[in-house]
Amino acid sequence: MNIEKIIPLDYELINIFGVNDKNLKFLKTNFKKAKINVKGNVVYISGDEKTTSEILKIFDEMLLIANRGDIIEIEDLKLISSIKNEQKSVFSKTSNVLIHNNKNIKVKNLNQLKYLETIENSTITFGIGPAGTGKTFLAVASAVKMYSSDQIKKIVLTRPAVEAGERLGYLPGDLSQKIDPYLVPLFDSLEYFFGNETLQYLIDKRNIEIVPLAYMRGRTLNDACIILDEAQNAKVSQIKMFLTRLGENSKMIITGDESQIDLINKDFSGLKKTRKSISNIDEISVVEFQNTDIVRNKIVSKILEVFPDK
């Protein structure tokens, strides 16, 4: 049965359909079973009930974005289209998520959406997948948001000091100077949200700590979000030590790429073993990213498909 739906629009059409109608063209390309026509400020949709319902859902979300004054991107439409049978609004909650002051992040795909929601609802979250999927950045963003809303009092970020084919001993300086390069990606993410001066102030106050994994032993962290990055380079005993640092009113996020192990003996990597062993605990969740979730240059996902797992 063919169904026709009519949507009157009270917005500038360029805000809905984009420059050169790029959003409208995307919808027409992805819903070839339906006809989408625009006359004046009215959109006419005709097609089978299932297809027209999906298109209407997308238009509802587009109107929410436009009502907030945000720019509608193709990535937004891809995310909305990927969520089937979803009753709640996607973008009323997650499009431009305010993290700190005027710093927002924009969800790029369904797994990023799941990741943010999982971190919010779980005590311990594993984010597993290839480079460029936003695992570390979104983990830091979640921690900053918790800190900014006074849910926690401290952010702790840590990494195992394992080199990718290089040796710490060849680097100049003392131990601290040798370790600093491993922590640069974490500094970069924090600096984006806080700025250099505020970040340094928070580090001096020890509200934010960025330390090598070995320095975590013997601690109990309350009212904190603790992030272990590059966990594929940690042994089982190290991840166990990290997990047992969890104190009251705290969350942990563990990120890693199980195909990029830099340990001399890759069998020593404890990430896969640990998360499989404890993932059946109710308070622990795992989100797995795929090559299709990569949000860096699209060529990165193609490169990863060419090279076999290490």
Side-chain angles (χ1 to χ4, degrees):
M1 182 176 65
N2 203 52
I3 297 175
E4 184 175 67
K5 299 287 185 181
I6 300 173
I7 308 174
L9 299 177
D10 296 325
Y11 300 89
E12 290 290 334
L13 291 185
I14 192 170
N15 295 339
I16 299 293
F17 297 129
V19 178
N20 297 323
D21 289 340
K22 64 176 182 178
N23 296 335
L24 180 60
K25 291 172 183 175
F26 172 86
L27 293 174
K28 287 183 175 182
T29 300
N30 284 269
F31 294 96
K32 294 179 179 177
K33 292 182 179 180
K35 291 183 179 180
I36 306 174
N37 296 307
V38 181
K39 295 180 181 179
N41 270 40
V42 178
V43 180
Y44 297 87
I45 304 169
S46 61
D48 62 79
E49 185 174 2
K50 180 176 180 294
T51 305
T52 53
S53 293
E54 289 181 9
I55 297 171
L56 284 171
K57 181 188 75 171
I58 293 174
F59 268 101
D60 286 342
E61 298 287 350
M62 291 172 75
L63 292 173
L64 279 171
I65 299 172
N67 191 48
R68 285 211 313 262
D70 293 338
I71 297 172
I72 302 171
E73 304 286 357
I74 294 295
E75 288 76 12
D76 297 332
L77 303 184
K78 289 179 179 177
L79 175 57
I80 301 167
S81 301
S82 68
I83 301 177
K84 306 296 184 183
N85 301 319
E86 190 74 31
Q87 296 301 315
K88 63 183 178 181
S89 168
V90 178
F91 281 96
S92 61
K93 182 179 180 183
T94 61
S95 178
N96 282 309
V97 182
L98 179 63
I99 300 299
H100 176 72
N101 290 341
N102 63 341
K103 291 292 185 179
N104 297 316
I105 59 171
K106 190 158 192 165
V107 176
K108 297 293 182 67
N109 53 57
L110 182 56
N111 271 336
Q112 286 194 349
L113 173 62
K114 289 180 179 177
Y115 189 45
L116 289 175
E117 290 187 340
T118 300
I119 291 171
E120 184 178 346
N121 297 320
S122 301
T123 303
I124 299 173
T125 301
F126 284 82
I128 310 298
T133 50
K135 304 183 303 294
T136 300
F137 182 75
L138 292 176
V140 172
S142 296
V144 172
K145 186 178 182 183
M146 284 183 256
Y147 180 82
S148 298
S149 59
D150 294 323
Q151 293 176 256
I152 57 172
K153 297 177 180 177
K154 181 189 285 283
I155 298 172
V156 180
L157 303 98
T158 184
R159 272 183 154 194
V162 176
E163 56 277 16
E166 299 168 349
R167 293 290 177 266
L168 280 171
Y170 290 108
L171 295 173
D174 58 21
L175 178 60
S176 175
Q177 292 169 319
K178 291 175 188 289
I179 288 170
D180 278 350
Y182 294 95
L183 306 176
V184 166
L186 302 176
F187 275 105
D188 288 345
S189 296
L190 284 170
E191 196 172 62
Y192 171 78
F193 294 111
F194 289 117
N196 183 269
E197 290 186 9
T198 301
L199 175 58
Q200 193 56 55
Y201 171 76
L202 293 172
I203 290 173
D204 291 342
K205 285 184 61 182
R206 295 192 65 190
N207 288 15
I208 294 178
E209 295 184 41
I210 309 174
V211 296
L213 180 58
Y215 290 21
M216 296 289 289
R217 189 174 298 279
R219 305 184 66 184
T220 300
L221 294 163
N222 299 315
D223 300 304
C225 181
I226 313 113
I227 299 173
L228 171 57
D229 192 35
E230 298 288 350
Q232 75 276 1
N233 290 327
K235 300 176 183 178
V236 171
S237 59
Q238 291 176 302
I239 297 179
K240 178 184 176 183
M241 178 272 290
F242 172 80
L243 290 169
T244 53
R245 303 307 95 202
L246 184 68
E248 294 296 324
N249 190 39
S250 290
K251 286 181 182 282
M252 283 184 162
I253 309 169
I254 300 173
T255 71
D257 179 356
E258 293 168 350
S259 70
Q260 297 292 319
I261 300 169
D262 298 315
L263 296 169
I264 295 173
N265 187 336
K266 293 176 175 50
D267 291 335
F268 287 166
S269 175
L271 179 57
K272 183 181 290 187
K273 299 171 187 174
T274 305
R275 59 115 169 171
K276 285 186 175 180
S277 298
I278 66 175
S279 60
N280 61 338
I281 298 174
D282 289 341
E283 294 84 359
I284 298 175
S285 301
V286 178
V287 177
E288 296 193 40
F289 292 89
Q290 310 300 325
N291 285 357
T292 52
D293 296 317
I294 292 172
V295 294
R296 291 179 185 165
N297 192 306
K298 296 299 181 185
I299 197 173
V300 174
S301 60
K302 296 178 181 179
I303 291 170
L304 290 175
E305 289 171 4
V306 171
F307 287 95
D309 290 351
K310 296 168 79 174

